[in-house]
Amino acid sequence: MTLVNSTEPVPPVIDANLAVALDALLAEQSVTRAAARLHTSPAAMSRTLGRLRRILQDPLLVRAGQAMVPTPRALALRDEAATVVRRLGALLTPAPGVDPATLRSTFTLQTADLVGAALARGLLTLAGQEAPGISLRFRAEELEAGPALRDGRVDLEVGVIDHVDPETRVEELVTLRMTAAVRPGHPLTEGPLTPARFAAAEHVAVSRRGRFDGPVDTALAEHGLSRRIAVVLPGHLAALSLAARTDVVALVPATSADNGTDNGAGADAGTSPSPLTEQASVLGLRLLDIPLPLPQVTIGMAWHPRHTSDGAHHWLRAAVRRVLRAQPSG
């Protein structure tokens, strides 16, 4: 085997500290003052000057009586050294805060349709007030969240976060409880709502995978009950629309402050209606407490860590918080 020696020169190792030291020495024209400027010892600065002399093959500073004066090469380098140090300082300074009014960005969010409907209205309002240059793109939950966040196809996932990669950042936003959404005048609105009456009604289920069962069915089974699911739809908005026009019962996540969810028990202090119930309100649906011990629903957001310190993404996350977190009224 024949070994071929490369004739390409090896690039020098760049030491930014030498540029800083050179700037201080040429500006102060004194080893002692340059050492004080850089908070080091005169001996260490003297060694650095020796190293600079060897690298640049020029004495740089020479003795003239009690002072030191720069060589012609040093004078030629002085302004350039100062410029390099200023640029290094700018390079290594944390980025300034972002003014939302100057943003010209397109954000892609992956959400379920109910969350997307609430976010779209709220975020458009905030963007109009604070960041009119941004655009929003909502994608349905057809992508696997981890890879989509990692490769940049999605900037933020908002919803029930249960399938993320280890590096993904997750923040919980609001915890809600499931309620029953029915049309005005529905039989379930008359009299106390019991597990048996709830199970006897016809239901619409929401599942992207077409599943008929869920936590409600598990809770009913503990009472020896089962419900009839008349139809399974892939989205909540279609389910709510169907419930507004028929006697099927749809499920909606809500707070205790949403109209009709307390059934006379009174809303929790400090809560306000969830934006996720807005579509139900628009359709005129009544929201009823489900008389079963159902697990709560936690809505959160997930993003890739490369966006954590990005000013534009920081505004987006803050805006999502403001839209989805129930705030006390008044």
Side-chain angles (χ1 to χ4, degrees), residues 79-309:
D79 290 344
E80 185 177 353
T83 299
V84 168
V85 171
R86 284 197 302 270
R87 289 178 178 174
L88 280 172
L91 178 66
L92 299 177
T93 299
V98 170
D99 180 2
T102 65
L103 292 178
R104 299 295 182 269
S105 303
T106 296
F107 296 117
T108 300
L109 296 88
Q110 180 163 291
T111 70
D113 60 346
L114 191 64
V115 177
L119 277 179
R121 179 177 179 276
L123 290 179
L124 281 176
T125 299
L126 289 176
Q129 297 168 351
E130 303 173 9
I134 74 164
S135 299
L136 300 168
R137 174 170 48 218
F138 286 85
R139 300 192 65 157
E141 296 176 301
E142 77 276 8
L143 298 174
E144 188 177 347
L149 292 170
R150 187 188 304 122
D151 62 24
R153 286 175 292 166
V154 172
D155 296 305
L156 196 66
E157 183 189 13
V158 185
V160 178
I161 310 298
D162 57 4
H163 50 276
V164 295
D165 289 338
E167 76 269 19
T168 303
R169 302 291 177 88
V170 178
E171 178 182 334
E172 294 183 355
L173 297 173
V174 62
T175 298
L176 305 171
R177 57 177 179 165
M178 297 306 296
T179 62
V182 298
R183 65 169 180 79
H186 191 284
L188 292 185
T189 63
E190 303 296 331
L193 182 56
T194 64
R197 292 188 65 210
F198 176 74
E202 286 197 324
H203 293 256
V204 53
V206 176
S207 172
R208 291 184 295 115
R209 298 177 177 86
R211 295 182 57 181
F212 276 80
D213 59 339
V216 170
D217 302 282
T218 301
L220 283 172
E222 293 178 358
H223 289 263
L225 299 169
S226 62
R227 61 176 176 158
R228 166 172 155 70
I229 297 178
V231 60
V232 178
L233 294 174
H236 290 86
L237 297 182
L240 293 178
S241 180
L242 183 63
R245 293 166 175 80
T246 69
D247 278 344
V248 298
V249 179
L251 300 181
V252 180
T255 70
S256 60
D258 287 293
N259 291 336
T261 61
D262 58 340
N263 285 342
D268 293 336
T271 62
S272 61
S274 166
L276 300 187
T277 62
E278 186 175 87
Q279 292 301 314
S281 299
V282 169
L283 293 168
L285 292 167
R286 290 280 307 277
L287 301 183
L288 307 175
D289 273 339
I290 299 173
L292 295 167
L294 298 176
Q296 293 183 313
V297 177
T298 298
I299 304 296
M301 59 181 171
W303 68 94
H304 193 272
R306 71 174 177 275
H307 293 308
T308 297
S309 299

Side-chain angles (χ1 to χ4, degrees), residues 13-24 38 48 51-52 81 84-89 91-92:
V13 176
I14 298 174
D15 186 345
N17 290 323
L18 287 177
V20 175
L22 178 63
D23 174 52
L38 298 184
T48 300
R51 185 178 175 192
L52 285 167
V84 168
V85 171
R86 284 197 302 270
R87 289 178 178 174
L88 280 172
L91 178 66
L92 299 177

Side-chain angles (χ1 to χ4, degrees), residues 45-66:
M45 183 56 67
S46 181
R47 290 193 295 272
T48 300
L49 175 59
R51 185 178 175 192
L52 285 167
R53 285 168 168 167
R54 290 191 297 273
I55 292 173
L56 297 174
Q57 298 181 11
D58 188 272
L60 298 175
L61 294 174
V62 296
R63 182 70 58 186
Q66 297 298 315

